[in-house]
């Protein structure tokens, strides 16, 4: 079932996918630099940003701040975000897209206003051209009306999810169910 929470999770996952890809690139870059330093007989000294992080540390330690709204960041996270978004503007744009989607659900109360906001958001995603957001765009395209059903009584499928979790817990406690 597609609802607001699943769409928001897809957006967060897309941002994290981008961060992880950048982190793997940073790890490879650091490994190459270490190898070059070793070949030249010099000690390896990684570049550190003003907050004390190396590139790969910055990307690893920024995981949780990308899940939260900027107003909920700690001072350390705010400082890290300044460096992160300066060094990786594409990550800033992806975070902005994810956050703006969250705000559409939080601020809009009328289905037609939400429809307009979501259409504008979808266009921004298309313009950004991020591969990570293609799944969300396709989900929007296929389930637009289902997603907008959230604005009918601001309901979600939380009760169905809760019931499903209870069934899974029941099955786990019995160590499976045998058909006879």
């Amino acid at each position: 079932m597609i609802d607001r929470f699943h769409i928001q999770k897809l957006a967060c996952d897309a941002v994290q996918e981008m961060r992880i890809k950048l982190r793997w690139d940073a790890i490879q870059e650091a490994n190459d630099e270490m190898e070059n330093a070793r070949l030249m007989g010099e000690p390896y000294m990684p570049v550190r940003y003003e907050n004390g992080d190396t590139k790969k540390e910055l990307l690893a330690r920024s995981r949780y701040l990308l899940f939260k709204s900027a107003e909920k960041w700690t001072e350390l996270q705010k400082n890290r975000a300044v460096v992160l978004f300066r060094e990786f503007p594409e990550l800033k744009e992806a975070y902005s897209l994810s956050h703006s989607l969250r705000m559409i659900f939080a601020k809009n109360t009328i289905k037609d206003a939400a429809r307009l906001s979501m259409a504008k958001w979808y266009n921004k995603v298309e313009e950004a051209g991020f591969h990570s957001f293609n799944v969300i765009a396709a989900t929007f395209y296929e389930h637009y009306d289902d997603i907008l059903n959230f604005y009918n009584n601001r309901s979600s499928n939380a009760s169905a999810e809760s019931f499903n979790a209870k069934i899974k817990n029941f099955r786990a406690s019995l160590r499976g169910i045998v058909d006879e």
Side-chain angles (χ1 to χ4, degrees):
M1 175 160 300
I2 298 296
D3 69 352
R4 93 175 252 193
F5 299 104
H6 289 98
I7 293 296
Q8 284 179 238
K9 183 179 182 325
L10 287 174
C12 286
D13 290 348
V15 174
Q16 292 301 325
E17 180 182 320
M18 292 178 69
R19 180 192 64 81
I20 290 167
K21 183 187 179 315
L22 290 167
R23 183 166 176 254
W24 279 109
D25 293 345
I27 290 169
Q28 184 60 51
E29 183 181 318
N31 288 342
D32 292 345
E33 290 172 358
M34 280 188 267
E35 180 64 20
N36 289 338
R38 187 185 65 76
L39 291 173
M40 297 174 77
E42 299 172 357
Y44 172 67
M45 294 297 294
V47 175
R48 294 202 173 270
Y49 298 110
E50 61 268 20
N51 68 341
D53 291 341
T54 63
K55 188 183 277 190
K56 63 183 185 178
E57 289 170 345
L58 177 69
L59 289 161
R61 294 173 180 168
S62 63
R63 176 180 180 193
Y64 295 109
L65 73 85
L66 294 173
F67 282 117
K68 296 197 249 180
S69 296
E71 58 269 5
K72 294 181 180 177
W73 288 342
T74 64
E75 280 303 312
L76 186 63
Q77 288 174 327
K78 287 176 187 177
N79 294 336
R80 185 167 285 131
V82 168
V83 176
L84 179 73
F85 293 152
R86 182 189 69 226
E87 295 298 316
F88 304 100
E90 68 275 21
L91 208 51
K92 180 179 184 178
E93 187 176 358
Y95 172 79
S96 177
L97 285 170
S98 176
H99 183 70
S100 63
L101 178 63
R102 185 181 309 129
M103 291 298 102
I104 289 170
F105 287 112
K107 302 226 187 247
N108 286 307
T109 56
I110 301 169
K111 192 172 187 176
D112 290 332
R115 183 186 320 268
L116 180 61
S117 295
M118 285 185 186
K120 289 178 181 177
W121 184 87
Y122 182 86
N123 289 339
K124 286 180 186 176
V125 168
E126 293 262 316
E127 288 172 18
F130 294 137
H131 177 72
S132 299
F133 279 81
N134 287 348
V135 171
I136 304 166
T139 303
F140 254 86
Y141 184 76
E142 291 293 322
H143 302 282
Y144 198 64
D145 290 327
D146 296 335
I147 295 165
L148 286 171
N149 280 339
F150 169 74
Y151 294 97
N152 301 337
N153 303 323
R154 294 188 76 79
S155 60
S156 69
N157 69 343
S159 58
E161 293 283 345
S162 174
F163 185 68
N164 191 33
K166 288 177 184 175
I167 291 171
K168 286 181 179 180
N169 190 18
F170 175 73
R171 289 181 69 187
S173 68
L174 295 177
R175 292 185 171 76
I177 296 174
V178 177
D179 291 335
E180 292 188 31

